[in-house]
Amino acid sequence: MGISASSTARQTQRENERAYVRSLGDRFPLGDAELRKWIWCHDRLQPNSAPTLLSLPDNSDLASLAVWSASYGDYNPYSTDHPRPSINSFSGRVNSAKRVLEAIAIVENEIFPAGLSSRLAQGALGLINPPSRKTPANPTWNPPVSSSIDEISAVEENYYSISPRVDKFMSARGKTSYGYDDFSGDTFEQFLEGISVSCGRRGSRACLSRLFAIVSGGNGGMTQQTMAEASDIIFTTYSLSLAASFMKNMAYLDDENSGRIDWRSFIPEKDPKCMSPMVDSLLNHARTRRKESGQLSNTYFDYSTPNTTPSTASNGSETSVSLQEFLDWSETTAPMMGSALPTFLHVLFTFFSKAEYSETDATRETTFPPGVTPIFIPILTIEKPPSTAKFATSTPTSSFFHEPHWSSFDLFALSCTSLSLSSGRWHRLFSSEANGLSCNRLMHSILGYGGPTLLLIRSKDSRSEGKCGTSVFGAYTVTPWDQESGSFYGNSDCFLFRLGPDAMGVYRPKGGGDKIVEGFKKTSRSESNNSRNFMYFNPEARSKGYDGLAHGIGFGGTAEAPRLFIDEVLDGCRASSDDMTFENGPLLSGLDSSNSSHFDVEAIEVWGVGTSSQIDEALLARDGQREDAAKKIRQAMKGAKGQFLEDFQSGLAGSKLFQHRQEMRGRDGGCDLDEDDEDRTEQ
């Protein structure tokens, strides 16, 4: 009878717990298992509530929350697939807590700018004026003597219990508007809202707004100011992406191999010059908005042209932007920037909770909650000779990204512009440094590749010849380079860009729609056609040079004069600032005007981008197309040789070889070849 009463009490407690969790789920966009985890973690952060299974020295609030999250691990009493408890379950979570503590210590001390960790804890996650807390530095667990499944299950259930908060909810039911009370006023509710927003569950704009508050706010990031320094916004986002990439690599290695990750490779660049193109892009956008709204009182200078000085806006700020200016700019120029904060937090709170990892997991696709798209500094891979592995994850030689590539700001800036560019891996298809400065080799390297590609170009400083200065620019397209054509093809999932050294610019298609466009007439001048001239791949060999069109690779403009064009012999490369397909803006730097200009190529690289599985499939597609082309050549050669052998065996080969002599004898005017032969004999 006592056992029955105990079972009934436990069942009632579980029902009350689910009712409490679901009441929170009505207001916060989190699953029941997630809410239960955050209830437990938040309670662990309160004074006098630390479990007895962990030793607790002092540490930061962000580290505290990360350690308790790892200690909770994959525990989920609501899942029917939850594995049976064991000693290994506890010990695995304890080891995860140790590893995340080691990783977050490196992030806070080496990667983050000073004070960012506390601003994240308070400004992003809503841990307002937290009391003095303790964090396990060396968590241990001493299992029960018998360690039976039932005993371990009872210990686990007690260890992860949230019954005090559930009891509080039940006692307050019907007394408050929401049906529950809280231990510490509204701090727990603000914590759940901070988790919801900062982890991306309320959308990208809400997350960007929270990021802006962290950067601009005083008093720990909670008092949002009207303006924030553009350079601080960019550097904070850059640091978050580096930290997420570092912790992802740390999480995917076991204890024995964790030392192989060199955290020094993830230290952000401190030189302001590396960030200036992106910062100037944000400031340009802000000044354009102020000018349009009449808020800019002084002269407006365009950062797209060199040797200009920023003007002073009517609010007296030269280097800061408002929240709305930042939101508008990020949506058009750097849409993936809103994923930096939720990506870091998701890695921090979930990646170290996995049971097992392998070294190959560093390049695999990772699962994120619905609506959250991650941004990572990509892994760069490179093809090797057939006698070795297909690709290596070590940093390849690149003319555009310094070593170690993880900390390259240009790599981060490009990752912010598109989903495929931030998906985790770039595979080098062509490099002028490795393959030679040849457009024909470039065309061969990308023809048939079945995935998104990024084209990077650096021009020489040719201002003395009336051309542009050193510029880094290029194009991105998701459409495969699968055909040679005198017409444009592709879809609107592409853009042109300038990476520097003048202000960064991203020029997306003006029109909408994703319909594949093929077969435009080369002479077409209609606006509807020219506004969809996305990509162009026309080698001279296709038409023997008689089509009257530009021969090479191009984007935008027309078939006679693409907006961005790489000439097949690299003599007539040019770029202009406007066309009917892409948004207007300069591609080249160091020009006195934005008119079209020729440029001399110094370096070119093409990268296949996306997830590892997408890149592998795209490489297989290219291999397949190359094999098909080689097969056709072999068949053609075999057919020609076979016909000659057949003629030779039948005796026709000789007559065919001298058939032209007979044809010449029969022409008007006469041609006596026999006499010529006799004359030679006599001589």
Side-chain angles (χ1 to χ4, degrees):
M1 191 170 183
I3 296 178
S4 177
S6 175
S7 299
T8 301
R10 290 178 63 186
Q11 182 63 28
T12 300
Q13 181 67 21
R14 290 171 181 169
E15 293 175 355
N16 292 342
E17 178 181 306
R18 294 303 294 267
Y20 171 53
V21 171
R22 287 168 180 166
S23 71
L24 294 175
D26 291 338
R27 293 184 296 119
F28 300 101
L30 301 168
D32 288 355
E34 290 179 287
L35 285 166
R36 192 190 190 284
K37 168 184 174 178
W38 294 125
I39 293 169
W40 185 83
C41 290
H42 189 267
D43 285 351
R44 302 285 77 74
L45 295 176
Q46 305 308 310
N48 304 320
S49 64
T52 58
L53 300 180
L54 301 174
S55 58
L56 308 171
D58 293 332
N59 211 303
S60 74
D61 300 315
L62 187 63
S64 298
L65 188 59
V67 168
W68 291 125
S69 176
S71 300
Y72 192 89
D74 57 353
Y75 178 74
N76 182 8
Y78 304 150
S79 174
T80 57
D81 298 330
H82 187 65
R84 302 181 73 181
S86 67
I87 295 177
N88 292 335
S89 300
F90 267 112
S91 61
R93 293 167 192 155
V94 168
N95 288 335
S96 295
K98 293 179 180 179
R99 293 174 62 211
V100 75
L101 184 61
E102 176 188 358
I104 190 61
I106 294 174
V107 168
E108 291 180 331
N109 296 326
E110 307 295 344
I111 299 177
F112 276 176
L116 179 57
S117 178
S118 62
R119 294 200 303 272
L120 288 175
Q122 299 178 41
L125 301 177
L127 297 174
I128 307 172
N129 297 322
S132 176
R133 303 189 180 105
K134 295 179 180 293
T135 302
N138 296 298
T140 58
W141 178 60
N142 297 318
V145 176
S146 66
S147 297
S148 66
I149 292 178
D150 291 339
E151 190 170 2
I152 294 175
S153 179
V155 172
E156 188 178 66
E157 184 175 347
N158 180 68
Y159 181 64
Y160 294 114
S161 172
I162 59 171
S163 57
R165 189 175 287 276
V166 174
D167 294 341
K168 193 79 171 180
F169 162 76
M170 296 305 298
S171 65
R173 203 168 191 178
K175 299 179 183 179
T176 65
S177 59
Y178 294 113
Y180 77 96
D181 197 5
D182 187 34
F183 284 118
S184 52
D186 61 350
T187 58
F188 177 63
E189 185 175 335
Q190 292 184 21
F191 168 70
L192 286 183
E193 180 64 16
I195 289 289
S196 300
V197 172
S198 300
C199 292
R201 303 305 181 83
R202 295 203 183 276
S204 178
R205 287 180 68 89
C207 193
L208 284 169
S209 299
R210 186 60 60 99
L211 177 65
F212 185 90
I214 294 170
V215 175
S216 69
N219 189 25
M222 288 307 301
T223 305
Q224 179 174 320
Q225 306 297 316
T226 57
M227 305 292 286
E229 287 292 312
S231 59
D232 291 345
I233 295 174
I234 301 301
F235 189 74
T236 298
T237 312
Y238 172 43
S239 301
L240 287 169
S241 296
L242 285 171
S245 299
F246 165 72
M247 298 197 71
K248 174 187 174 183
N249 281 272
M250 284 287 289
Y252 284 150
L253 293 179
D254 55 29
D255 294 334
E256 295 181 359
N257 294 318
S258 60
R260 293 171 56 186
I261 300 297
D262 186 359
W263 54 264
R264 289 179 290 269
S265 299
F266 297 84
I267 296 178
E269 294 186 71
K270 300 297 195 300
D271 186 359
K273 292 182 179 180
C274 72
M275 295 193 305
S276 61
M278 200 173 200
V279 173
D280 290 349
S281 175
L282 175 54
L283 292 174
N284 274 352
H285 177 84
R287 288 180 171 83
T288 299
R289 281 183 55 89
R290 296 169 194 172
K291 183 180 180 182
E292 292 173 349
S293 62
Q295 297 179 4
L296 193 61
S297 58
N298 294 340
T299 304
Y300 171 75
F301 291 93
D302 186 0
Y303 273 76
S304 298
T305 56
N307 303 322
T308 58
T309 304
S311 61
T312 303
S314 58
N315 57 17
S317 174
E318 294 182 355
T319 58
S320 59
V321 297
S322 68
L323 171 61
Q324 192 59 48
E325 292 165 350
F326 170 56
L327 291 176
D328 292 345
W329 172 82
S330 63
E331 288 178 356
T332 57
T333 301
M336 294 303 300
M337 186 169 283
S339 298
L341 178 58
T343 298
F344 168 73
L345 294 177
H346 184 76
V347 172
L348 178 65
F349 295 141
T350 65
F351 275 37
F352 289 86
S353 301
K354 306 296 182 182
E356 296 179 356
Y357 296 101
S358 65
E359 188 173 356
T360 58
D361 288 340
T363 58
R364 74 178 183 181
E365 289 74 47
T366 54
T367 302
F368 275 72
V372 178
T373 305
I375 176 174
F376 291 108
I377 305 297
I379 295 174
L380 303 184
T381 62
I382 180 174
E383 290 180 279
K384 284 195 169 185
S387 60
T388 60
K390 184 175 182 181
F391 64 86
T393 56
S394 60
T395 304
T397 301
S398 173
S399 299
F400 295 86
F401 311 119
H402 64 71
E403 296 186 15
H405 78 270
W406 297 107
S407 60
S408 171
F409 184 84
D410 287 343
L411 201 55
F412 160 74
L414 287 170
S415 298
C416 289
T417 60
S418 171
L419 171 60
S420 294
L421 295 174
S422 63
S423 296
R425 179 182 167 198
W426 291 16
H427 184 77
R428 197 182 72 189
L429 302 175
F430 175 83
S431 167
S432 58
E433 183 172 336
N435 306 111
L437 192 57
S438 167
C439 187
N440 287 328
R441 292 180 184 176
L442 188 157
M443 289 176 147
H444 175 72
S445 70
I446 64 176
L447 182 60
Y449 180 79
T453 52
L454 178 76
L455 170 69
L456 281 167
I457 307 169
R458 182 168 60 244
S459 65
K460 298 179 181 178
D461 188 348
S462 304
R463 285 174 290 184
S464 61
E465 302 174 12
K467 300 180 181 179
C468 67
T470 299
S471 311
V472 179
F473 55 99
Y476 163 82
T477 178
V478 74
T479 304
W481 297 96
D482 56 4
Q483 58 180 296
E484 300 175 351
S485 174
S487 302
F488 283 86
Y489 60 99
N491 60 42
S492 59
D493 196 356
C494 59
F495 58 83
L496 306 178
F497 64 87
R498 178 175 68 180
L499 193 57
D502 289 350
M504 179 180 176
V506 178
Y507 313 116
R508 304 183 189 275
K510 297 177 181 177
D514 292 330
K515 180 180 178 181
I516 300 297
V517 180
E518 298 182 8
F520 289 153
K521 299 294 185 181
K522 66 180 181 181
T523 57
S524 173
R525 299 291 184 180
S526 67
E527 180 177 349
S528 60
N529 280 356
N530 288 346
S531 65
R532 299 187 65 84
N533 288 357
F534 300 116
M535 52 193 289
Y536 179 80
F537 190 95
N538 184 27
E540 184 178 9
R542 185 192 66 83
S543 64
K544 308 302 181 184
Y546 296 118
D547 56 4
L549 303 177
H551 297 127
I553 297 175
F555 300 85
T558 65
E560 295 85 357
R563 175 175 173 181
L564 172 59
F565 179 63
I566 303 175
D567 184 70
E568 193 166 13
V569 295
L570 300 178
D571 284 341
C573 300
R574 57 183 179 271
S576 60
S577 60
D578 61 85
D579 73 315
M580 298 181 66
T581 300
F582 296 98
E583 296 170 333
N584 297 343
L587 292 170
L588 304 178
S589 300
L591 292 175
D592 294 331
S593 68
S594 59
N595 294 330
S596 175
S597 175
H598 288 76
F599 62 88
D600 296 324
V601 176
E602 181 175 288
I604 300 179
E605 289 181 359
V606 181
W607 297 82
V609 297
T611 63
S612 284
S613 61
Q614 289 173 339
I615 291 175
D616 290 340
E617 291 174 4
L619 289 170
L620 287 175
R622 187 187 66 176
D623 293 342
Q625 180 159 326
R626 288 180 177 179
E627 180 59 31
D628 290 342
K631 184 178 180 180
K632 291 178 181 179
I633 293 174
R634 289 194 299 268
Q635 289 175 343
M637 295 178 64
K638 182 178 179 180
K641 292 178 180 178
Q643 184 64 45
F644 177 81
L645 181 60
E646 181 180 344
D647 291 344
F648 187 82
Q649 291 175 341
S650 64
L652 294 176
S655 60
K656 285 187 176 182
L657 286 174
F658 300 102
Q659 184 177 358
H660 65 286
R661 295 166 62 91
Q662 300 296 332
E663 292 175 350
M664 292 177 67
R665 288 192 180 95
R667 291 179 180 173
D668 292 340
C671 181
D672 194 345
L673 297 177
D674 293 335
E675 292 184 2
D676 292 340
D677 292 341
E678 293 176 359
D679 293 340
R680 294 193 192 96
T681 302
E682 294 176 357
Q683 293 176 359

